[in-house]
Amino acid sequence: MAFTLTRYPIIQAPMAGGATTPELVAAVSNAGGLGSLAGVLLPPDQLAEEIRRIRARTARPFNVNLFVLKPVQATPEDLRAAMGLLEPIRAELGLFQANVPSKFSQDFAAQLEVLMEEKPPVVSFHFDVLSAQVVERLQQAGCKVIGTATNVAEAIAWEQVGADYVCAQGAEAGGHRGTFIGPFEHAMTGTLALLPQVVDAVKIPVIAAGGIMDGRGIAAALLLGAVAVQMGTAFLTCPESGIHPLYKQALLQAKGDPTVVTRSFSGRPARGLRNTFIERMQPYEAQVPPYPIQNALTAEIRQAAAKAGRIEYMSLWAGQAASLCRSLPAAELIKTLVEETQQSLQQVWGSQVWPA
Ligand SMILES: Cc1cc2nc3c(=O)[nH]c(=O)nc-3n(C[C@H](O)[C@H](O)[C@H](O)COP(=O)(O)O)c2cc1C
């Protein structure tokens, strides 16, 4: 099965938190990959505006991503307890006046309507599965639909609602775990093990995500049956990525596996570079409220930390292979990835692997 959306089977992952600027998305798409905009944190009018900014920069296909979210409620007591856990860190950053947010996330239904109106060529979803009706509406609007799965049951769920592609997210992946069937601890399968299981379980084409940083990883994913790869961390250090300079520097200096999965920033397990915030909040991991409540409660801390250059309190989402990050412009990274993949595939097929 071939990947027909773009020239090269390389998707720059949607990455919420500022990385996926219209400049990055368009540069990737113009270079023959599929650029992706992370839309989850954008109010509907800003989401539409960013889509238009991408369209002004590229005529090629691109992807817009949302988290599938249901409205949540929290009692004042729950919020007070959760804010109490954050107080010492807030104080350290000079945040004395606690502002409890009036809402915890953007309105998902309104964001979906923006997709229906703006009709990006590709739309992708994280955190849960859509209904078959919504998938059909998006497809009728002209969008190809990608769903994220962290286990076989979730991949089947996306196939059953009619998704065009499923993205198998291995445990190595940076950012939030997409798990929505079963506990997240049961869906921490590495890409190498998860991908062939998903490929065998569904008929729709499978995209591989998690720990893929160069052509060796892309070749491996293609050999395991993926039609394309979705790479996040590898694009964080491109000059077009909008993350904080200290975050980029930390990625470029990463050694070994500097990451950990934590609920403490957002209330949902996510993989990022280990830092003081994660370590200080570790004893309370089980107590923090669920996503998006905790995410909203820590927003001020993350913003203040970024402003003050206090990397120890910023969220630094990254995958387990972060130490393979390179600082290349997006177009050059795509070109390099394509050449490396060709070399890797040639090495496998061009040499005698088994004795005659
Ligand atoms: C900084 C960061 C933010 C992310 N935000 C999103 C997001 O908004 N939506 C999404 O579907 N996936 C998000 N992800 C997960 C990616 O889609 C993908 O699964 C992951 O980057 C693949 O692993 P890798 O980082 O090792 O390449 C994010 C990943 C990172 C590193």
Side-chain angles (χ1 to χ4, degrees), residues 29-339:
S29 290
N30 283 333
L34 185 73
S36 305
L37 173 73
V40 59
L41 301 175
L42 303 176
D45 54 342
Q46 214 177 316
L47 179 61
E49 176 56 29
E50 298 251 317
I51 294 173
R52 286 180 210 136
R53 284 177 59 199
I54 295 168
R55 282 218 160 97
R57 288 166 171 78
T58 185
R60 301 267 179 89
F62 61 93
N63 169 36
V64 180
N65 171 268
L66 294 177
F67 291 179
V68 181
L69 296 175
K70 296 182 185 81
V72 288
Q73 304 240 308
T75 64
E77 299 81 66
D78 289 345
L79 290 177
R80 253 196 307 276
M83 287 302 280
L85 297 177
L86 297 170
E87 221 148 81
I89 296 174
R90 290 180 57 89
E92 210 170 300
L93 289 164
L95 297 169
F96 295 106
Q97 179 70 45
N99 296 316
V100 176
S102 54
K103 61 175 187 174
F104 302 113
S105 67
Q106 297 301 329
D107 178 349
F108 174 60
Q111 289 177 318
L112 256 185
E113 287 314 308
V114 172
L115 299 189
M116 304 284 181
E117 279 162 31
E118 295 293 329
K119 307 175 178 33
V122 185
V123 291
S124 72
F125 296 91
H126 206 27
F127 280 26
D128 207 344
V129 66
L130 294 173
S131 69
Q133 289 76 7
V134 173
V135 171
E136 200 183 338
R137 272 189 72 204
L138 286 163
Q139 288 165 334
Q140 277 167 358
C143 310
K144 293 284 181 200
V145 178
I146 304 175
T148 310
T150 61
N151 58 39
V152 167
E154 292 166 1
I156 292 171
W158 273 111
E159 180 172 58
Q160 282 173 347
V161 297
D164 297 287
Y165 297 85
V166 65
C167 177
Q169 189 194 37
E172 303 91 326
H176 285 95
R177 304 294 305 144
T179 309
F180 58 90
I181 298 180
F184 108 93
E185 297 88 348
H186 295 183
M188 287 298 282
T189 312
T191 307
L192 192 71
L194 176 66
L195 182 56
Q197 293 183 50
V198 172
V199 167
D200 286 352
V202 296
K203 292 193 185 67
I204 53 174
V206 180
I207 296 159
I212 302 169
M213 299 297 288
D214 55 28
R216 294 171 296 185
I218 298 173
L222 297 177
L223 290 172
L224 287 169
V227 294
V229 295
Q230 179 161 307
M231 301 165 62
T233 305
F235 285 93
L236 285 175
T237 44
C238 291
E240 297 93 336
S241 140
I243 63 170
H244 197 286
L246 291 174
Y247 181 4
K248 270 190 201 177
Q249 198 184 1
L251 289 166
L252 290 169
Q253 289 171 353
K255 302 230 171 2
D257 174 9
T259 69
V260 64
V261 174
T262 179
R263 282 183 76 241
S264 57
F265 273 114
S266 73
R268 190 175 172 111
R271 185 181 292 285
L273 301 182
R274 190 182 285 106
N275 65 1
T276 309
F277 181 91
I278 296 172
E279 277 161 15
R280 286 183 67 170
M281 290 298 290
Q282 209 274 330
Y284 317 110
E285 273 272 304
Q287 278 165 260
V288 302
Y291 190 98
I293 300 170
Q294 179 73 357
N295 202 51
L297 297 184
T298 62
E300 258 192 307
I301 291 179
R302 289 178 282 122
Q303 281 154 14
K307 212 165 151 202
R310 303 278 302 266
I311 191 167
E312 68 272 29
Y313 295 123
M314 287 156 57
S315 62
L316 308 165
W317 305 133
Q320 284 187 306
S323 65
L324 298 175
C325 273
R326 304 175 263 202
S327 177
L328 291 176
E332 219 172 297
L333 180 57
I334 294 281
K335 186 168 167 274
T336 307
L337 292 170
V338 170
E339 286 166 5

